[in-house]
Amino acid sequence: MGMMGEEKYKAFDYHIRSLSSSARDSNFANDPSLLNSVKSLCDLCRSEKSEDLIARVYPHLNRIFQRCLSSTSQSQTSNGLLLLAILQFFLDFGDVVLHDADPNLRTFFKSCLSCEFADAIVAEATLDFLNANKKKLQSSFPTLLPQFFPLLLKLIAWNGEKLEKSFCRVFPGLISQGSFLPLFPSIVDLPILVVALEKVEKSSGSLVGSSIASIQKSTAPEMLLALMDEAYTGSTIGDGGADSESEDSSTMAVADPFFLELLKDENDGLAERHWASPAVAAALQAAVSMPMSDRLKQALRMTPRLFDMYTAIAIREVNDSLICALVPLLMTRYSNLFPEKLFLYEVQKRIIELMLAAFNRSPSFIALLKKPIVDRLGEAYDSPAKTELALQLCWAIGEHGGGGEAHKDAARELFESLELLLYENLSSSRLGLRESALGSDSAKSRKSSQSRLLCFVVTAIAKLATYHRELLPRARVSLTKVARSRISDARVWKRARDYLGLMNEPGICLSILGPCGSPSNGMRKPGTVNWSEGGTKMISHLPFYLLGAQEGPPHDFSFRDVLPGR
């Protein structure tokens, strides 16, 4: 203290007295000078690096922090900025005063931010605080942000693109072993979260100062249930209770689990989202049939960008077991998204890219996830989205040999599913030809989609049989049926005919339809080329069709003549 200048000492003494008097004042939260005093004392402690100063300030700030939290539910004044300033002191000097800030941080999220996430100033200050202390939070409190990612998503959903850059710097900290899977549906449901929050605001007033989560968990949840039913379905469902005392109580409905799940503040694991419920259908229909709010439009634009960050982290940092568990979620959610055309295109494209990247990273996932893949193939004609998903899965099955050589049983079962899909399509395409010839646009579109899927199924069957040669006889039968089925689209039967021709030349077939990876166990398969050994091989090791316009007998050339120099 003796080393501190006289003016700094006076300032320190003034702010300490200000804290002391504020702590005794029942209306302390309304004092605008309190925040300034807290910040000034933090700056003084930081500049002077005096443990004595820190020790004198700490009891006052700890007391004010606790008082702020206890008055949050009764006070209409925002305490967010004041609590953040005190939290900064705890993080900076916790080691000096032996204070563990973890309970304070969690209490801030639960008791303060849950009520003030819709306050633009508090939201921005919170993100600035999290970014300024990113390293400290990741090293000392690694579970904090993953636990409260639903609350932070509510914050960005409500405040929109003006805070997106700051939120994106925080975003990697939301991902952990326990939050990776539940974070995916929460990201793609960001627009629906906006719809839910706007409906709650419309029914109950400003979201600032009221905790949705605390209402959900209150001892009288019927108030929330009525609110949710009115907000999301536009109507009430009578409970038919015999002891109903009024019209209001007789029409009290149970809140839909989908919306209760959306509006939570903490990560409590991966929960099922009930897309088939009438409440969800009614809410989404209302959202797309009416003019969209600016906040909803921003969420529709932000979601693909957040998903890009999620994908990059997933591919770069997440282990195989979590990626494998994510793939069925990707498949399930592909056709269950907010029904806005551009949004659907952007998010579905990214879901497919992430799913195919997962299969490329570990082809064995295809065998491990055989059951959900077969289920998706069985739903191929439920909707255009499910048709596209089945098409992409057919490509992955063929490209990666049904999971690889070590998974012959899974490959056989996948082959049988492809056969079934092929035969079902052949029979339905024959029936549908007359309908499409008569001319409705929807019939023509459906026929085109069916032909496209059939092309992928035929290719997958040919590739799978090339990879697992014990399936070749069955593949020949299947492809022969398609090639002779001139009633179906010409693109389909011509492709089947070409593959049958390739199968008569095993070496060429393996080179074209075989696995793209290097041969296993160091064995060279006929017709395949290890391009890294190109400088040491003679041209006779090359399949002849690769020579193209090269002249002269094969032995006149080496790989160096065929391949461009580096």
Side-chain angles (χ1 to χ4, degrees), residues 537-559:
K537 298 296 182 183
M538 295 301 293
I539 207 66
S540 57
H541 294 101
L542 253 178
F544 279 68
Y545 70 92
L546 290 179
L547 292 178
Q550 296 289 341
E551 298 177 357
H555 58 269
D556 287 346
F557 302 96
S558 73
F559 264 118

Side-chain angles (χ1 to χ4, degrees), residues 27 35 66 77 111 129 141 203 250 264 274 324 344 357 364 368 395 419 445 459 488-489 508 517 533:
N27 200 28
L35 177 60
Q66 300 304 327
T77 305
S111 301
F129 170 82
F141 313 101
S203 299
S250 67
K264 67 184 182 183
H274 304 269
C324 187
L344 279 172
S364 61
L368 295 172
W395 182 89
E419 277 184 321
S445 174
T459 302
S488 59
D489 191 296
I508 297 176
E533 300 174 0

Side-chain angles (χ1 to χ4, degrees), residues 3-46:
M3 298 291 293
M4 188 165 58
E6 183 177 349
E7 292 207 5
K8 287 187 177 181
Y9 177 81
K10 287 182 179 178
F12 177 83
D13 190 55
Y14 167 78
H15 292 306
I16 282 288
R17 283 188 280 108
S18 176
L19 292 189
S20 181
S21 61
S22 295
R24 294 191 298 270
D25 187 355
S26 60
N27 200 28
F28 74 98
N30 293 322
D31 184 359
S33 66
L34 184 57
L35 177 60
N36 179 58
S37 292
V38 171
K39 289 185 174 180
S40 297
L41 288 171
C42 289
D43 291 340
L44 279 171
C45 290
R46 203 173 290 115

Side-chain angles (χ1 to χ4, degrees), residues 7 19 53 58 70 75 124 129 142 159 226 241 284 292 310 316 365 476 541 555 557-558:
E7 292 207 5
L19 292 189
L53 260 62
Y58 168 69
S70 62
S75 173
E124 183 174 8
F129 170 82
N159 292 282
L284 296 184
M292 294 184 185
Y310 179 85
R316 186 177 65 246
F365 287 172
R476 289 180 187 276
H541 294 101
H555 58 269
F557 302 96
S558 73

Side-chain angles (χ1 to χ4, degrees), residues 488-534:
S488 59
D489 191 296
R491 292 172 297 175
V492 180
W493 64 258
K494 284 181 179 179
R495 180 168 296 200
R497 183 192 61 189
D498 292 342
Y499 290 151
L500 282 170
L502 275 176
M503 287 177 179
N504 292 327
E505 301 289 343
I508 297 176
C509 184
L510 191 57
S511 181
I512 295 176
L513 298 177
C516 55
S518 58
S520 59
N521 303 323
M523 296 176 62
R524 170 77 69 233
K525 294 186 177 180
T528 60
V529 175
N530 187 347
W531 298 101
S532 64
E533 300 174 0

